Amino acid sequence: MLFRILMAYLLVMTAAAFCMCGIDKLKAVRHQWRISEKALLITAALGGSVGLLAGMYIFRHKTLHKKFTIGVPAIILGQVVLAAVCIILF
């Protein structure tokens, strides 16, 4: 049961991060109010890192910012290590 809840949470966070990236790109093109980089990175850290990384390359957004090109893969790596530790310990 806990596994299903975790998977549903990660799916929602991944979709949210992907959509946020697309919306931010659209707003950037239209010179409108933007989603903050902090909000994008927090969403990635809370489980949406794969969605944000996919959104970055599909929408060609934030791909020149080292904070994102290095930071998001680093978040993914950290999440994979954390998941591995949890699997080993539990």
Side-chain angles (χ1 to χ4, degrees), residues 13-45:
M13 292 304 291
T14 298
F18 182 80
C19 290
M20 286 172 69
C21 194
I23 290 167
D24 192 47
K25 174 65 176 191
L26 181 65
K27 289 180 177 270
V29 169
R30 293 181 178 175
H31 303 287
Q32 295 177 338
W33 168 86
R34 306 276 304 280
I35 298 171
S36 70
E37 289 183 351
K38 182 178 178 181
L40 291 169
L41 290 170
I42 287 172
T43 304

Side-chain angles (χ1 to χ4, degrees), residues 48-82:
S49 55
V50 173
L52 185 59
L53 187 66
M56 284 170 53
Y57 289 100
I58 289 172
F59 300 117
R60 295 183 187 157
H61 189 55
K62 303 285 187 189
T63 56
L64 299 177
H65 297 257
K66 293 221 185 285
K67 186 187 299 186
F68 286 86
T69 58
I70 294 171
V72 175
I75 291 170
I76 292 172
L77 180 62
Q79 291 169 338
V80 168
V81 168
L82 179 63

